[in-house]
Amino acid sequence: MSPGSFSQADAIPRSIPCPLLFALSGPEVFDMYKFFTSKFKSAPQTEPIPGKKMIQGRSGGYMFEAGTWAMVRRCLITGTASGSFYAGRNELTEEFVNTLKGAIEEDPIRAAGEIVYASDGRSVNNSAPLLGLVLLSMGSKKEAKTSFLEIFPQVVRTAAHFYEWLSYTKALRGFGKIVRKAGTEWLSKNDVKGLAYQLLKYQQRHGFSNRDVLRLFHVQPPTVDHQHLFQWIVKGWDRLPEQPPSDSMKQIWWYEWLKRNPDGTHQAIREGRLTHEMATVGIMDKKAWQLLFEGMPITAMLRNLGSLTEIGVLRADEAANLDRIESVLNNKDYLKKGRIHPIDVLKALKTYQSGGQFGRSKKTWEPVPRIVDILNQAVEVSFEVQEPTGKVFMHAVDVSGSMSWAQVPSVGLSCSEIATTMALVSAKAEKNYMIRGFSTEFRDLGVTAKDNFSSALKKASNQTFGATDASAAYDWMLQKRFHADIVCFWTDSESWAGSRHPSQALAEYRRKINPGIKAIYVTLTPYNITLVDPDDPLSYDMGGFDPSMPRLIQMIAANEI
């Protein structure tokens, strides 16, 4: 299988042992668990379980080692750009680099596949896959270089990605032969009109400009259209041609025309189909923003909801504009095609509802209630779910101090807020569920399927407390004799405060309540630890933030994987 192709099974972390791909239930499960748990006495989480291979986490507690490939997927999907309660930014980035380097040396083709998998709308942003791409180009094996060139256009899709890739390349390895080959091919792509659009929209990023790039790669224009584009980048236009040199240069011509005729912003937007990044050389009044809005792609729409509301394009009495917002943001196909990650929508919801108090925007606005409703629906639509399974779910959300401290890179949301949201998505897909939060106790968060994501975020942000003991969930379920088919933990896996390990508490639950219960641990931070006992065929370890995660949980519950 090539690095860019994936089957349904690829959605499951490859660290899961083969026995996990079938389900067991009944007396045989009880006998199996009795075999590997009865001979071990309970151990506090600050000590390893006797006879088990465990490692000490940053919190001081002992967990199982996640393994190279589970760690690779976690790093690529969750990223490492922001520090957590237990680890700083530099430490996480260094661990990311070392993990990827090791994986690339072990199996560069598989590593390339993981990079593409994360980049294809599963990672919160494309930064981690881009960094992984650079590390792949540094691999010592021939397969690493070949895979790097093969997946490059799948990961580097925009000029912004290209500049970011260059910044990592400059910092880590320099511009050797393979880098020049990849860069030259990207700048020589057949779609000159699309290339011109990218290089006009993103004229500079990450310390590089278009002109820097052409001088760095010494690209020979393969066509006349490329020649026109490169000449404009290097020399500009002292005089505006009477007509665009070619259809590929039409947008650039209107951009240059607008620089000379700023009063003609409306005409340039309408006839030149300029984006808001291009049109800023003109006069940006309400009508200009209205024209931009009418042709605005989904990513720009999501990012500019506040600006559009502030200037008056989006108002409660502008029904046609609100209808367009709804038709785009609540359309699953548009969200998928635009690679809009659910966490991006969640960030937009929190930012928009704050009226400008949250996020980097210096603007303020009065949120339109219908847009808040549309964004709530968009969060749900952006995740992948299937028909209800009829199983009983217990969602255990880590609300300890470490989860409130840990921030997801660039989105300004805590892991506990995201964990609650993802649990709510799963709950909305089912009829039989509970959502509770654990630290050193297991308490009701007050979150139900009737909540929208705005109210769930507020409840989650008000619930973070205490140390971490994942076994508290099993203790509560034992005490209440709560019969669950699936228990799903949303956590950073840094459990350390309990008198016994979660795997030991799970074994007791199976002996006393339900021998066939499946435990799913969704880890939301890039740590090389897991609460899953590798000898347990009914426990699953997954990396968080994947939009397909709720669907995968349902598939496990329904014995489909």
Side-chain angles (χ1 to χ4, degrees):
M1 183 178 295
S2 66
S5 60
F6 299 93
S7 66
Q8 181 78 279
D10 284 302
I12 300 295
R14 304 186 192 199
S15 60
I16 295 179
C18 290
L20 292 187
L21 297 181
F22 60 86
L24 300 174
S25 61
E28 67 271 25
V29 174
F30 178 82
D31 292 340
M32 178 179 60
Y33 282 107
K34 185 176 181 181
F35 170 76
F36 77 82
T37 61
S38 60
K39 59 182 178 180
F40 300 127
K41 294 182 178 180
S42 294
Q45 293 178 30
T46 52
E47 299 176 8
I49 300 173
K52 294 285 184 178
K53 186 178 178 180
M54 305 184 79
I55 60 175
Q56 193 170 26
R58 294 171 174 86
S59 63
Y62 279 84
M63 280 73 64
F64 299 99
E65 188 172 4
T68 298
W69 294 103
M71 182 65 173
V72 165
R73 182 161 291 191
R74 287 180 187 177
C75 287
L76 289 169
I77 288 180
T78 65
T80 63
S82 180
S84 71
F85 187 81
Y86 296 116
R89 175 176 178 173
N90 292 338
E91 180 185 350
L92 288 174
T93 304
E94 183 178 359
E95 187 168 3
F96 172 94
V97 170
N98 291 337
T99 298
L100 260 291
K101 282 183 175 179
I104 289 165
E105 289 305 305
E106 178 183 333
D107 189 341
I109 295 177
R110 182 173 176 179
E114 289 291 341
I115 292 169
V116 174
Y117 179 82
S119 180
D120 191 20
R122 295 178 176 89
S123 179
V124 176
N125 58 47
N126 209 32
S127 295
L130 287 169
L131 181 54
L133 189 66
V134 175
L135 297 175
L136 183 64
S137 73
M138 298 166 63
S140 63
K141 294 181 179 178
K142 181 181 179 181
E143 293 88 346
K145 313 292 185 186
T146 303
S147 297
F148 163 74
L149 291 173
E150 181 180 344
I151 71 171
F152 188 87
Q154 295 173 261
V155 180
V156 182
R157 298 182 295 273
T158 69
H161 295 162
F162 191 79
Y163 295 133
E164 188 172 357
W165 165 72
L166 282 177
S167 70
Y168 297 152
T169 298
K170 180 180 179 181
L172 292 175
R173 57 152 297 156
F175 305 102
K177 182 178 178 180
I178 191 169
V179 169
R180 293 184 182 278
K181 179 176 176 60
T184 299
E185 289 179 354
W186 196 90
L187 292 165
S188 303
K189 60 178 67 176
N190 292 331
D191 180 14
V192 187
K193 190 172 184 177
L195 179 64
Y197 172 87
Q198 289 294 327
L199 296 179
L200 175 60
K201 183 177 181 180
Y202 305 105
Q203 297 188 39
Q204 58 183 12
R205 289 286 193 283
H206 301 283
F208 288 92
S209 67
N210 291 342
R211 187 176 301 180
D212 296 331
V213 167
L214 289 182
R215 288 174 175 170
L216 174 64
F217 289 102
H218 303 290
V219 185
Q220 295 299 316
T223 68
V224 174
D225 279 356
H226 283 90
Q227 185 176 4
H228 289 316
L229 174 60
F230 295 169
Q231 284 178 345
W232 171 76
I233 289 172
V234 175
K235 297 181 180 180
W237 288 345
D238 292 332
R239 294 180 121 191
L240 182 72
E242 291 186 9
Q243 297 292 332
S246 67
D247 183 62
S248 299
M249 295 292 289
K250 184 177 180 181
Q251 211 165 27
I252 289 174
W253 188 90
W254 277 105
Y255 168 79
E256 290 288 340
W257 180 88
L258 181 57
K259 286 200 300 185
R260 294 162 173 80
N261 303 277
D263 291 338
T265 303
H266 303 160
Q267 181 182 356
I269 292 172
R270 191 165 42 243
E271 298 186 35
R273 301 185 66 84
L274 302 185
T275 68
H276 70 281
E277 295 95 342
M278 306 168 190
T280 52
V281 295
I283 299 173
M284 298 297 294
D285 56 13
K286 180 180 177 180
K287 185 175 180 181
W289 276 104
Q290 176 65 42
L291 290 169
L292 287 169
F293 170 74
E294 290 169 4
M296 191 170 279
I298 187 170
T299 302
M301 181 184 292
L302 201 60
R303 292 177 178 173
N304 286 282
L305 291 173
S307 298
L308 291 166
T309 302
E310 182 194 44
I311 204 167
V313 172
L314 297 180
R315 295 165 32 126
D317 57 353
E318 290 284 357
N321 286 349
L322 298 186
D323 287 345
R324 181 167 192 268
I325 292 285
E326 183 173 14
S327 67
V328 173
L329 295 185
N330 289 167
N331 186 304
K332 194 176 189 70
D333 292 335
Y334 286 159
L335 290 166
K336 188 172 183 179
K337 186 177 180 180
R339 289 185 172 87
I340 303 300
H341 197 283
I343 307 306
D344 288 328
V345 187
L346 193 64
K347 175 190 176 183
L349 170 61
K350 186 172 180 179
T351 301
Y352 185 77
Q353 196 170 29
S354 76
Q357 297 178 20
F358 171 77
R360 299 179 180 179
S361 177
K362 296 181 180 179
K363 300 176 180 178
T364 57
W365 58 87
E366 185 69 30
V368 178
R370 185 180 169 192
I371 294 178
V372 174
D373 292 339
I374 291 169
L375 287 170
N376 269 292
Q377 180 64 23
V379 175
E380 186 169 349
V381 171
S382 61
F383 282 100
E384 297 179 28
V385 294
Q386 59 185 28
E387 293 300 314
T389 64
K391 304 291 185 180
V392 178
F393 285 76
M394 170 60 78
H395 290 281
V397 179
D398 189 341
V399 291
S400 63
S402 62
M403 288 284 284
S404 63
W405 177 273
Q407 296 286 313
V408 177
S410 78
V411 301
L413 295 165
S414 71
C415 283
S416 63
E417 290 175 315
I418 293 176
T420 304
T421 301
M422 295 183 77
L424 181 56
V425 171
S426 297
K428 284 178 177 290
E430 296 290 343
K431 297 179 180 179
N432 309 306
Y433 69 91
M434 288 190 74
I435 300 176
R436 298 182 71 88
F438 70 90
S439 57
T440 51
E441 56 182 286
F442 197 46
R443 66 167 63 173
D444 185 6
L445 298 180
V447 177
T448 73
K450 293 183 179 180
D451 275 290
N452 58 34
F453 294 98
S454 302
S455 60
L457 280 176
K458 291 178 181 178
K459 291 177 180 179
S461 61
N462 293 330
Q463 290 283 354
T464 52
F465 60 95
T468 314
D469 177 14
S471 66
Y474 295 116
D475 292 338
W476 185 91
M477 292 165 66
L478 281 161
Q479 181 185 359
K480 302 295 184 181
R481 299 196 65 80
F482 184 88
H483 191 286
D485 299 305
I486 302 288
V487 58
C488 188
F489 287 81
W490 306 85
T491 178
D492 60 6
S493 288
E494 285 281 7
S495 184
W496 58 273
S499 59
R500 59 177 174 171
H501 288 266
S503 59
Q504 294 175 317
L506 171 59
E508 181 183 353
Y509 181 85
R510 282 177 171 143
R511 289 195 302 270
K512 295 182 176 180
I513 308 293
N514 180 10
I517 188 174
K518 296 178 181 179
I520 301 172
Y521 298 85
V522 184
T523 302
L524 304 172
T525 49
Y527 298 157
N528 190 25
I529 53 174
T530 177
L531 298 175
V532 174
D533 187 330
D535 296 324
D536 181 353
L538 294 186
S539 288
Y540 297 73
D541 177 86
M542 297 184 176
F545 305 154
D546 190 330
S548 65
M549 193 65 66
R551 179 174 59 87
L552 294 174
I553 291 169
Q554 287 182 293
M555 292 172 72
I556 290 171
N559 297 328
E560 294 178 14
I561 53 176

